[in-house]
Each structure stands twice: as structure tokens, then as C-alpha cells.
Amino acid sequence: MATIFVVAAIALRPLIPVDETRYLTVAWEMRQSHDWLVPHLNGEAYSHKPPMLFWLINLAWGAFGEHAFVARLVPAAFLPISVWLTARLGGMIGGKATGDQAALIAVGFLVFVVSGTLVMFDAMLTAACLAGLIGLFIAADGRRLAGFGLFGLMIGAGLLIKGPAGLIHLMPAALLAPLWTARRQNWAVWYVGVIAALAIGIGIGLAWALPAAHAGGPDFARAILWGQTTGRMVNAFDHARPVWYYLALAPLLLLPWSLSRNLWIALLDRSREPGSRLNRLVWIAAGGTVILFSLVSGKQVHYVAPAIPSLAIGLALLMARRRALPEPAFGVATFLVGALLVLIYPLDLLHETWPPYPFAIGGLVTMILSVIVWKLRAMPATAAAAAVASIFTGLHTLAVLGGLALYDASWVTPYLASGINEKEVAVVGSYAGEYGYAARLDRPVTVIAPEAARDWMASHSDGVVVQAWRHSPALEATPVELHPYRGGMLGVWTAASSSPVEPRDASASR
């Protein structure tokens, strides 16, 4: 099922700015410059993320061609891998049936599936973290060399995938091992093994970071070795959220399982028999992730997605000890999501120029599929997965019909691609790589302030200017093409900009 999610997402959904377009542009610039050590965005060293994703995308491009499908498949392929590892870890703790159930529960979390199909780092980091937890399990089972070796390698992989965030997912379970290990341990030996694994992981990370810091210059070195980590943890320069952020969003993050009566009965039932101590491993891993990220200044919804498989294993272990009750709420919730999509335009719930019909059709598809979810209510895990699949299908139906046209800037690329080696390209305001890979640009664009746009255009008669704005454009001339975009407008000016152009309906811009 996870593989179907991946293929459907890549085939039906456009690249979503700014994250997906930015990461593909960084990978593209790495390919253009042949600088495999220091990632770049618009010609400048890019310190916000380590290079693992960009390396893997370039390996895939080298093998299969420079296609968007190939690049998008690289991170998304780790979603089914993560589901398989969930089954493996769940099987090691509670037996094969529990592992299989945990894998099915994992794909029944909407945030896990959606984040895992994006050109981002979450599915990759999830796979590394699950493999690291398997390493800890092996070490606790007595095979310390193999277990701590795997744990150390996965710490290193996590550092190269998303920096120190990987430690947040893995270290609580390692440090709190006395709470979950079933076998008697020599704790001095255990913590020596943890320190050794940590040294292996940090060594892997530094094997890239130190040469990259030397090659990228002082500012880049300071950012990757210190600034980005402290900036996100203590006083986030981006995505700063209060400490209660994840607690407030928990009902949404856990959908549809937050509506499960099986879950709440199991959690509140004080008469249940205690499970194996090993069961605590996944609860410590999931709970530690949420607690530590709550204390970190920078937060996003998808940051905690790698904790979902551990939570899924915990739920499978809980429900394995009791008879499952039917879950009618899953079908009802799916129907209501579809109804909301149908009503979102008549009720004017979106204050943008969104096309109505894709939302209505996507909502109707979701409502129809909710009948299947209702029919499966006697099998909670299957019903939850079906609910996610139904909502996923409805959302991608509206995407392919143009419902996400306001987030699709691909129409700009013919104007920019024609400028390769010929015309200069300027972006007014800010630029986050939205067009670099899409237009296959072979050199940086010029980022200019709005007040400089007129002079720049006057001095570049064959240039191309792109601007996204909410209030007014920087140039008085009518753009050669104009579309609604992300709550405002997106326009392109060239030397041919002369005649008035009416904004296109968003549904017609795909």
C-alpha cells in the first residue's frame, strides 16, 4: 500500500513550493557545479540541510536520467522501506503478527503518509531511526558489536540526512535502556557501547562536515558546525513555535487514530496486564521524540513523523492484548473530510482564488470511498489505512484536476528556460529555488529589490523578470503572463511585455 501511495503522489501531484522545489534545485546545482561537498542554492553555499538527499538524487539522475519523477522517487522510496522496518521491529518485540499489524497501523496515519511522499527528509530519517532502534534491540539481546555498530551507522546516516535531529529520535531509547531491556545488562559496558556508537556516528557526520567547512568558507563552516543547530534549538530563525505546539496539534497529528475507541480504552484501562518490558522501547522512542522536539524552538508538523512507526508498534502491542471493537468513527470522519472539501468553496473557507470544481469532485470521491471505510470498521487497522487512502485519493483527485494550481509555478519555466546562456533572469523580492531545477537553469538568477526592478529591466532589454506579490507588482508594465499564486499573483515580464493580460483562472493554469 505504501508503494501505491508513493507512485500516486508522484504521478498526480505537482511539486509544492517552496520546500520541494528548493531541494530539487539544490540537487540540480550540485549536478551543474560538480561540487559534491558543499551544496549550493542560487550559487551560494546552502547550509540548512546536509547533503545525503542531494547525493542520492544525483546518483539516481546519473543512472536513470534527470527526470523529476526519478528525483521525487528517491526520498519517497524510503516510505515503503520504513513500513517494512516497522514490521521488522514490531515482529522482534511482539511477534510477526504484531509486526504486520504495526506496519498496517503506520500507513493509517495521514501525516506519516503525506510527509513520506514529499521531496523532503522525513521518510529517509524514519528509515534510519527504525534501523537504529533495531540496532539497540540487537545490542540488548546480547549481540553488542553488531547492534551498536548498526546503531552508530544509523546515527551517522541521520546526521547526513537531517543533522542533529536524528539524535533526538534515537538517543532517548539508548540512554533510557534500563527502563526497557528484558535481559540483565552490564550497564557500564552498555553505556560504553552507546558512547562508541555515538563516536562512530559523529565521525561519519564529521567526515563530510569538516572538509565541507573548509571548502565552504568561514560563514558556511560556522553554520553547519554550530549556527544552524543552536539557531533551531534555542531561538529558531524559522518555524519558532511554543512548547505546547505538538500537544495542541496531537488530535490532528494522530488522525484518524485519535478518534479510535480501541486506542482510548486501551490507554485508560488500568486493569490490563502489564506487557513485556521490551514494549517500552517504542513508547520511549516515540515519547522522547515528541518531548525533545517540544523543547526545541523550531518546530514543524512533519518533524515528529519519524516517531509514527514507534507509535504504531505501541498501538499494535496494546491492541494485541484485547479484542478489537469496531471503529465507526473512521468512516464518519472520512465522510466529513469529503463533505468539507465539497463545501469549502460555497462557505468561502479559503480566501484565495481557488477553483471550486476540483475541490467538489475531490470531496465527492472521498465521500464515496468513505463507504468502504465504514464497511471495514470491524478491522480497525485496515479501516484506518483505508481512511487515509480515501482522503489521499480525494486530495490527489483535486490536485490532478487543478485544485493545487495556485501552488504550481511550472508555467513560468518556458520563459526562463529560453534564457539559458542567452538572457538574464531576475527574481523580485526573495528566491528559494522555485525555478532552478524546473527551468534547468545553468547559472544563478539575480535577486533584486522591488524598487530596483525598473532600472534592472531598463538595463537588460532581453532579460526576464519574475515576481510573486500580494499587493502590487514592482513594474508598471503589464506582465506577459499572469497567474494567481499562493494567495497573491505571479507574473513574468519580458521585452515582449506590452499588451494587457487578464489573470487566468487557477483551474486553467495546469
Side-chain angles (χ1 to χ4, degrees), residues 244-312:
W244 44 263
Y245 178 72
Y246 290 119
L247 180 62
L249 288 183
L252 294 176
L253 286 171
L254 299 179
L255 281 175
W257 282 100
S258 55
L259 304 174
S260 168
R261 58 177 178 169
N262 284 286
L263 169 61
W264 291 109
I265 290 174
L267 290 175
L268 298 174
D269 184 6
R270 297 183 179 275
S271 66
R272 68 178 184 274
E273 295 181 3
S276 167
R277 284 174 59 88
L278 284 173
N279 295 5
R280 300 176 187 174
L281 169 61
V282 290
W283 292 112
I284 290 171
T289 292
V290 175
I291 291 171
L292 291 178
F293 267 115
S294 294
L295 299 176
V296 170
S297 178
K299 302 178 185 67
Q300 287 278 69
V301 168
H302 56 87
Y303 287 2
V304 295
I308 293 294
S310 293
L311 178 60

Side-chain angles (χ1 to χ4, degrees), residues 94-139:
K96 186 178 184 306
T98 298
D100 293 343
Q101 184 84 338
L104 188 59
I105 291 173
V107 294
F109 283 95
L110 188 61
V111 66
F112 177 66
V113 170
V114 172
S115 65
T117 56
L118 293 168
V119 182
M120 296 180 74
F121 307 87
D122 303 295
M124 297 174 61
L125 186 58
T126 300
C129 291
L130 283 167
L133 293 177
I134 290 173
L136 284 180
F137 183 95
I138 292 172

Side-chain angles (χ1 to χ4, degrees), residues 345 348-355 406-407 470 484-488:
Y345 191 83
D348 194 26
L349 297 178
L350 294 173
H351 303 291
E352 301 185 63
T353 314
W354 293 83
L406 296 186
Y407 285 83
R470 289 183 181 270
Y485 180 69
R486 301 183 68 199

Side-chain angles (χ1 to χ4, degrees), residues 338 341-344 355-369 390 393-402:
L341 292 176
V342 171
L343 296 174
I344 203 166
Y357 299 112
F359 281 83
I361 295 173
L364 287 173
V365 169
T366 305
M367 293 167 70
I368 292 170
L369 293 176
S390 300
T393 301
L395 292 176
H396 285 76
T397 298
L398 73 85
V400 79
L401 293 175

Side-chain angles (χ1 to χ4, degrees), residues 49-72:
K49 292 294 185 292
M52 179 67 81
L53 174 62
F54 315 127
W55 287 342
L56 294 180
I57 289 175
N58 274 281
L59 283 174
W61 277 340
F64 304 107
E66 299 165 352
H67 307 293
F69 183 89
V70 171
R72 298 173 72 180

Side-chain angles (χ1 to χ4, degrees), residues 402-427:
L404 294 183
L406 296 186
Y407 285 83
D408 187 1
S410 60
W411 62 268
V412 175
T413 58
Y415 296 100
L416 308 187
S418 64
I420 295 178
N421 296 320
E422 299 172 5
K423 299 178 181 179
E424 293 285 341
V425 176
V427 176

